[in-house]
Amino acid sequence: MRALIQRVTQASVTVDGRVIGQTGPGLLILVCAMQGDEDSAADKLAARVAKLRIFRDEQGKMNRSLVDTGGGALVISQFTLAADTRSGNRPGFSAAAPPAEGEALYRRFAEALGALGPQVATGQFGAEMQVALINDGPVTIWLDSAERG
């Protein structure tokens, strides 16, 4: 699985003009399940995100995790993280997991993250969503459970 993580002061997701998920200080997490990913990939990625030390401590250093700060998370499905842009001008997305598998792994990730302590809100899988955020720092981190190149 792949994730693009943004430290935020706030974030929200809107579908059809209605806010369906939001968080205060914490993380906005864009997630993509890849072909061949299994439940263990979602669990591994959730644990890594929860423990990633990207929040400031008392000295202003990035030394605290989402769990340490008690922050929340907004988890959004984002199949375009699987984009292959190596040739041509149109990205290919065949490396993304099929929709049914992708949705199951997306839900598994959100549940696994919530089980580790953070309050987790989600978007709507497969929907056209508008995501609003205030990036804090800015801090943006790319993670891949398989550590693909």
Side-chain angles (χ1 to χ4, degrees), residues 15 76-79 99 102-103 106-107 123-129:
V15 175
I76 306 292
S77 61
Q78 182 79 47
F79 83 94
E103 182 173 10
Y106 160 72
R107 292 189 185 286
Q124 181 179 336
F125 187 89
E128 188 74 24
M129 295 177 275

Side-chain angles (χ1 to χ4, degrees), residues 21-109:
Q22 59 189 354
T23 189
L27 298 175
L28 170 65
I29 308 165
L30 306 174
V31 178
C32 178
M34 305 295 288
Q35 290 274 347
D37 281 342
E38 298 178 356
D39 288 350
S40 61
D43 297 341
K44 176 181 175 181
L45 189 60
R48 195 154 174 222
V49 167
K51 296 174 188 171
L52 193 63
R53 297 184 323 175
I54 60 172
F55 292 90
R56 294 179 194 93
D57 64 13
E58 296 76 24
Q59 287 76 41
K61 296 186 187 239
M62 289 197 299
N63 219 8
R64 300 181 73 209
S65 70
L66 184 63
V67 172
D68 295 335
T69 63
L74 177 58
V75 179
I76 306 292
S77 61
Q78 182 79 47
F79 83 94
T80 60
L81 292 178
D84 181 353
T85 59
R86 291 178 290 184
S87 66
N89 295 318
R90 183 173 179 210
F93 302 104
S94 61
E101 291 174 30
E103 182 173 10
L105 287 165
Y106 160 72
R107 292 189 185 286
R108 172 91 180 217
F109 171 83

